[in-house]
Amino acid sequence: MSVSLAEIRAEHPGLFSDGCPTRTVLDHVMGKWGILVLMALSDGTQRWGVLRRNVSGISEKMLASTLKTLEADGLVVRTAYPEVPPRVEYGLTDRGRGLMTHVLPLMGWVAENAAAIVARPE
């Protein structure tokens, strides 16, 4: 069932306007690194090194910052195990998994259309 933006705005006045929390969420979730980290974690829980390899091109600093933001947003959970050496894993929360049920179809569309869009056929 398709819903229009007008219908969403009628139900939530002021939505997506300046200062609306939706803009913060969109920035965190749909930013370059946020979406790539979330997509990587949609395949399951991952340790730092694996996650960094799966999100190629991300620096350690940016990965740490992105994970911290997504954890604060309640989309990612960090689990530290009291072992030597220390083991830390990252995974999606229920909210994060719910988000990805909506985002993954969009990413499928992007994958199917990216080459044609970037090629900009005349």
Side-chain angles (χ1 to χ4, degrees):
M1 175 189 267
S2 181
V3 178
S4 73
L5 181 57
E7 292 171 315
I8 295 169
R9 283 191 166 146
E11 196 171 313
H12 305 278
L15 197 66
F16 305 116
S17 64
D18 190 29
C20 180
T22 55
R23 288 200 180 183
T24 301
V25 173
L26 285 172
D27 181 48
H28 294 177
V29 170
M30 299 307 289
K32 176 181 179 180
W33 299 120
I35 193 64
L36 292 175
V37 167
L38 290 166
M39 285 183 5
L41 291 174
S42 70
D43 285 337
T45 300
Q46 298 179 27
R47 292 180 70 175
W48 174 273
V50 173
L51 185 55
R52 183 149 185 243
R53 282 189 297 277
N54 287 334
V55 184
S56 66
I58 194 169
S59 69
E60 287 189 19
K61 181 178 179 181
M62 186 53 68
L63 179 56
S65 174
T66 301
L67 285 168
K68 189 177 217 176
T69 298
L70 296 173
E71 185 180 5
D73 291 345
L75 300 171
V76 169
V77 62
R78 177 185 187 272
T79 306
Y81 297 92
E83 300 174 352
V84 177
R87 179 170 56 111
V88 177
E89 295 180 341
Y90 298 89
L92 295 177
T93 62
D94 287 343
R95 179 180 289 156
R97 283 188 293 278
L99 169 66
M100 294 313 290
T101 64
H102 299 283
V103 171
L104 287 172
L106 171 61
M107 294 303 104
W109 183 92
V110 169
E112 289 176 15
N113 292 279
I117 291 169
V118 171
R120 295 186 182 122
E122 296 178 33

